[in-house]
Amino acid sequence: MSRARLEKEDKVKEMGERLAASQAAIFADFRGLTVQDLWELRSTLAEAETRFAVVKNTLARLAVREAGLADLEAFLEGPTAVAYVAGDPVQGAKKLLEVARRLPVLEVKGGLAEGRVLSADQVRAMATLESREVMLAKLAGLAKSQMATAAWMLQALQARFLSLLDAYKE
């Protein structure tokens, strides 16, 4: 087997492993970005534990097929880059779209999160969500509020019962 073929197989395997290890992957068209733009994009995404990599479509197609994600092939048209999100998928999407607003030539094609293929609109919608920690805090606050209401109701019921017993006693 030739050295070039072995290198390509390694790249396909590495891409498949990255997809499997990522919390999310967002595909984008990077046509028109300068080296400075790419540097800015990569440094901004690094804040959200996201790695931005330009991929070769033919190798990426092989990688997504081998990973059982053939639905992602639709995003592999034209110049393609993938943002591999290792941390919170919402934060990764927010950071990518934040840069895309400043650099309109960066166009989101779609993505993958929790095993689901997402359209570009769904990726944008995901970016509008609050972070996982904020949503969990709100959920905890809601649960605490419900528990406080239940405790108050039980206390009121107990007080009424005691006043009923006092009235019965008299």
Side-chain angles (χ1 to χ4, degrees), residues 162-170:
L162 290 175
S163 67
L164 178 66
L165 285 179
D166 282 343
Y168 183 71
K169 184 176 158 184
E170 290 176 8

Side-chain angles (χ1 to χ4, degrees), residues 59-70:
L59 299 179
R61 280 190 189 94
L62 290 172
V64 298
R65 282 185 200 139
E66 286 181 14
L69 302 166

Side-chain angles (χ1 to χ4, degrees), residues 26 28 33 37-53 81-100 102 106:
I26 302 169
L33 291 179
D37 294 340
L38 281 171
W39 181 84
E40 177 189 340
L41 174 62
R42 285 187 171 121
S43 63
T44 301
L45 290 177
E47 297 169 9
E49 299 178 65
T50 302
R51 184 171 183 269
F52 191 77
V82 182
Y84 298 99
V85 183
D88 183 6
V90 172
Q91 287 302 101
K94 279 184 183 193
K95 290 290 184 180
L96 183 64
L97 290 171
E98 173 187 310
V99 175
R102 288 193 310 254
L106 180 65

Side-chain angles (χ1 to χ4, degrees), residues 18-19 21-26 82-89 112-114 126:
R18 266 197 205 140
L19 278 171
S22 298
Q23 296 295 317
I26 302 169
V82 182
Y84 298 99
V85 183
D88 183 6
L112 172 75
E114 296 180 0
M126 183 171 71

Side-chain angles (χ1 to χ4, degrees), residues 4-168:
R5 181 165 173 85
L6 287 174
E7 285 178 11
K8 288 179 183 178
E9 286 178 2
D10 286 344
K11 286 186 186 235
V12 168
K13 183 180 175 187
E14 178 187 342
M15 201 177 307
E17 289 171 354
R18 266 197 205 140
L19 278 171
S22 298
Q23 296 295 317
I26 302 169
F27 294 79
D29 184 338
F30 65 95
R31 190 182 347 217
L33 291 179
T34 65
V35 174
Q36 178 66 31
D37 294 340
L38 281 171
W39 181 84
E40 177 189 340
L41 174 62
R42 285 187 171 121
S43 63
T44 301
L45 290 177
E47 297 169 9
E49 299 178 65
T50 302
R51 184 171 183 269
F52 191 77
V54 174
V55 296
K56 188 168 183 166
N57 288 341
T58 54
L59 299 179
R61 280 190 189 94
L62 290 172
V64 298
R65 282 185 200 139
E66 286 181 14
L69 302 166
D71 294 341
L72 296 175
E73 286 186 58
F75 305 135
L76 299 172
E77 298 296 326
T80 306
V82 182
Y84 298 99
V85 183
D88 183 6
V90 172
Q91 287 302 101
K94 279 184 183 193
K95 290 290 184 180
L96 183 64
L97 290 171
E98 173 187 310
V99 175
R101 278 191 289 279
R102 288 193 310 254
L103 306 169
V105 293
L106 180 65
E107 180 186 330
V108 173
K109 296 179 178 184
L112 172 75
E114 296 180 0
R116 288 186 35 218
V117 175
L118 307 173
S119 69
D121 289 337
Q122 289 171 320
V123 171
R124 286 186 201 92
M126 183 171 71
T128 63
L129 295 174
E130 293 174 339
S131 72
R132 184 174 191 273
E133 289 78 21
V134 170
M135 288 197 288
L136 286 174
K138 284 185 175 182
L139 189 59
L142 182 62
K144 182 181 174 188
S145 162
Q146 293 300 317
M147 288 189 312
T149 302
W152 176 82
M153 288 173 56
L154 290 173
Q155 219 171 16
L157 183 61
Q158 182 184 14
R160 285 185 137 173
F161 181 69
L162 290 175
S163 67
L164 178 66
L165 285 179
D166 282 343
Y168 183 71

